[in-house]
Amino acid sequence: MRLLTFEADGKVRPGALLETNGIFDLSTAGFSSMLDVIEANSGNPQKLQELLTKASADTAYSLGTVKLLAPIPKPRKLICVGLNYRDHATETGSEIPSVPTIFNKFATSVIAPGENIILPKVSKSPDYEAEFAFIIGRGGRHIAAESWKEHVFGYTIVNDVSARDYQRATTQWLMGKTFDTFAPMGPWIVTADSIPDPHNLDIRLEINGETLQDSNTRELIFKIPDLIAFLSSVFTLEPGDIVSTGTPAGVGVARKPPRFLQPGDDVVVKIPAIGELRNPVISET
Ligand code: ZN
């Protein structure tokens, strides 16, 4: 099942995208937002599926005639994992980590599919990072790794856009990671029941048609069970929290010569099991 957030008739609504590309407006079923949908249905996607089966004829909107937003436009937490693919840790000259590197991006950095990535005037090295992200359904603290499936609501795509000069100016990466527009997300959430094995998904990034990253989530060093256990050992995971699992090899800063983002670029992250996240790039004016 594909769930999205869209704007139509002047109102932001959660929806379900059907096979026909029709959208069932979940606000007509009493849900005010995607966070509301996740909270009400965490751990029980069947309930949502039953609702959709009943309502599937009632699709007032279709994809292509509405404005898509990020599936969760204002997440409570957007948690990121650094250096989590073996090939990427190697290309950046880092050792394979024994503890996950965790940072975050603020909700103000989130943008929709198709929305402009704005390159800040102050950075000389804006870069791209294709990432597979999972979304927490049922929250909790001290979650055991083996219980991970009970806590994952679904999956989406994030581009962890990064200003390398700001990222590397200190040991704390946050300032390089959380410029406005630096978290394109979407195009939708695929619910967990639709992806039996999230640790075997192809992931690619293309700019202007050229493939720059090409890997598979089986290369992840810390997988979803480890990440849920580690994160929830420190803080409470809540419904709708997003964990972006890190990027594979091929980032711009590690290429020779480096290949940073430029105005006019068309950046596409593809995870075929989920979809495509496409964003144009412009300069800050
Ligand atoms: Zn990243």
Side-chain angles (χ1 to χ4, degrees), residues 1-243:
M1 192 188 335
R2 296 174 294 177
L3 299 175
L4 44 73
T5 296
F6 67 105
E7 191 180 323
D9 303 327
K11 188 180 155 197
V12 173
R13 308 154 190 268
L17 180 61
L18 309 176
E19 296 295 330
T20 56
N21 277 349
I23 297 173
F24 175 61
D25 179 0
L26 285 165
S27 72
T28 64
F31 298 107
S32 61
S33 67
M34 187 60 69
L35 282 177
D36 194 17
V37 173
I38 294 170
E39 278 171 12
N41 296 282
S42 57
N44 190 0
Q46 289 88 340
K47 214 166 71 182
L48 199 54
Q49 189 72 61
E50 284 164 23
L51 173 71
L52 292 180
T53 310
K54 271 187 275 179
S56 58
D58 179 20
T59 54
Y61 302 102
S62 68
L63 197 67
T65 63
V66 300
K67 178 177 158 40
L68 277 193
L69 276 68
I72 304 176
K74 289 275 176 204
R76 293 191 183 96
K77 303 188 197 77
L78 174 46
I79 303 158
C80 299
V81 187
L83 303 172
N84 200 25
Y85 280 75
R86 278 172 200 285
D87 48 3
H88 177 57
T90 305
E91 77 175 347
T92 56
S94 308
E95 286 179 27
I96 300 296
S98 55
V99 177
T101 295
I102 305 296
F103 59 95
N104 69 298
K105 294 167 96 87
F106 295 127
T108 41
S109 62
V110 173
I111 59 169
E115 198 170 342
N116 290 325
I117 297 168
I118 302 175
L119 303 181
K121 278 181 187 163
V122 293
S123 175
K124 292 187 165 47
S125 47
D127 205 349
Y128 52 84
E129 294 193 352
E131 304 206 355
F132 169 67
F134 65 89
I135 294 151
I136 296 295
R138 192 148 68 80
R141 181 87 200 276
H142 299 301
I143 298 168
E146 56 271 24
S147 306
W148 68 279
K149 283 189 175 167
E150 296 161 33
H151 294 271
V152 175
F153 180 80
Y155 306 100
T156 192
I157 303 172
V158 169
N159 185 346
D160 176 19
V161 181
S162 306
R164 300 301 182 194
D165 37 10
Y166 274 67
Q167 179 185 349
R168 293 176 171 185
T170 70
T171 57
Q172 306 299 310
W173 296 0
L174 183 140
M175 290 301 276
K177 294 286 194 174
T178 201
F179 279 91
D180 284 3
T181 76
F182 271 24
M185 185 197 300
W188 39 66
I189 295 168
V190 174
T191 53
D193 55 305
S194 303
I195 297 186
D197 183 7
H199 301 106
N200 185 17
L201 303 177
D202 289 333
I203 176 167
R204 281 196 306 282
L205 180 139
E206 296 170 11
I207 299 183
N208 309 332
E210 181 189 1
T211 300
L212 296 170
Q213 294 185 279
D214 189 0
S215 190
N216 185 288
T217 57
R218 77 173 80 89
E219 301 295 325
L220 285 168
I221 298 167
F222 299 102
K223 297 184 169 27
I224 298 170
D226 313 315
L227 292 171
I228 288 181
F230 182 63
L231 295 169
S232 73
S233 74
V234 174
F235 54 83
T236 302
L237 286 169
E238 299 168 287
D241 285 351
I242 300 166
V243 182

Side-chain angles (χ1 to χ4, degrees), residues 248-265:
V251 297
V253 71
R255 306 186 81 87
K256 294 182 179 54
R259 198 290 181 213
F260 294 119
L261 291 173
Q262 293 157 14
D265 280 346

